Amino acid sequence: EAQVTQNPRYLITVTGKKLTVTCSQNMNHEYMSWYRQDPGLGLRQIYYSMNVEVTDKGDVPEGYKVSRKEKRNFPLILESPSPNQTSLYFCASSYTGVGGYTFGSGTRLTVV
Amino acid sequence: QQQVKQSPQSLIVQKGGISIINCAYENTAFDYFPWYQQFPGKGPALLIAIRPDVSEKKEGRFTISFNKSAKQFSLHIMDSQPGDSATYFCAAWRSSNTGKLIFGQGTTLQVKP
């Protein structure tokens, strides 16, 4: 089944403790992206990647890191999480860059 | 700076009615406008999309109307059903920039039986 897989689905952590949210797609897509979803703010793009080793900042990149060492994987790294990063995170991928992203099921992160 | 503005924030429609959600964008470089549908606990799913060289696109009960000069586009859901109750997002993509898809704030639609 073609899909974008994120792990974990739920995560509660403490301020300052580094964490990684994994994302993998099995559709051989070139484009991948991370979004965060907050009430009233919609989906805001954190980072995106057009191919291996090619990444760029979205609208809210502060406090996040990404890497694209393999085509299928695009992990999101929070080096020192803070409570304002409590949110619902989505990973997404796309074949051509146009035609829309396919989204994962989301990771609900709580930073206390 | 909100590049894609969506309204209303919430919408209640009776079964069989027409649901209308509006979006406006600022950057004329956008050249692809998708709508996403999101159910609780799920990721957004592509519903329908349009390019600016087309004024209208219809897929089943879902229609996008596009007004390039006004930089506005809207989603119409005809014969709305309770199963359409979800959050809807408009979005805009600038293909020359690749990868950067910008979303509106979302509209929560409730269709009453």
Side-chain angles (χ1 to χ4, degrees), chain A:
Chain A
E1 181 187 356
Q3 60 186 358
V4 177
T5 303
Q6 298 177 227
N7 281 296
R9 289 293 310 274
Y10 301 91
L11 179 60
I12 301 175
T13 190
V14 296
T15 299
K17 185 177 181 180
K18 181 180 179 180
L19 67 91
T20 299
V21 184
T22 64
C23 175
S24 179
Q25 51 93 4
N26 62 0
M27 296 169 281
N28 200 35
H29 285 173
E30 284 86 5
Y31 296 82
M32 297 189 74
S33 183
W34 277 101
Y35 286 84
R36 62 177 289 174
Q37 182 175 8
D38 301 287
L41 297 177
L43 292 143
R44 293 180 293 168
Q45 197 168 32
I46 303 170
Y47 271 95
Y48 57 97
S49 169
M50 287 75 78
N51 215 323
V52 175
E53 303 292 3
V54 181
T55 63
D56 205 351
K57 296 178 181 179
D59 294 320
V60 288
E62 295 78 20
Y64 304 95
K65 284 177 57 177
V66 293
S67 67
R68 188 92 182 272
K69 293 183 170 59
E70 304 170 279
K71 194 173 186 179
R72 63 182 291 124
N73 295 323
F74 192 44
L76 179 69
I77 303 158
L78 284 73
E79 295 269 2
S80 182
S82 62
N84 65 12
Q85 292 179 299
T86 292
S87 186
L88 179 59
Y89 291 87
F90 288 101
C91 181
S93 71
S94 174
Y95 178 64
T96 62
V98 179
Y101 275 118
T102 298
F103 282 80
S105 297
T107 295
R108 185 165 293 280
L109 172 66
T110 302
V111 183
V112 298

Side-chain angles (χ1 to χ4, degrees), chain B residues 92-111:
Chain B
W93 193 306
R94 189 171 63 189
S95 60
S96 62
N97 196 33
T98 68
K100 194 169 177 65
L101 179 65
I102 297 171
F103 283 83
Q105 300 94 319
T107 297
T108 301
L109 170 66
Q110 182 183 358
V111 181

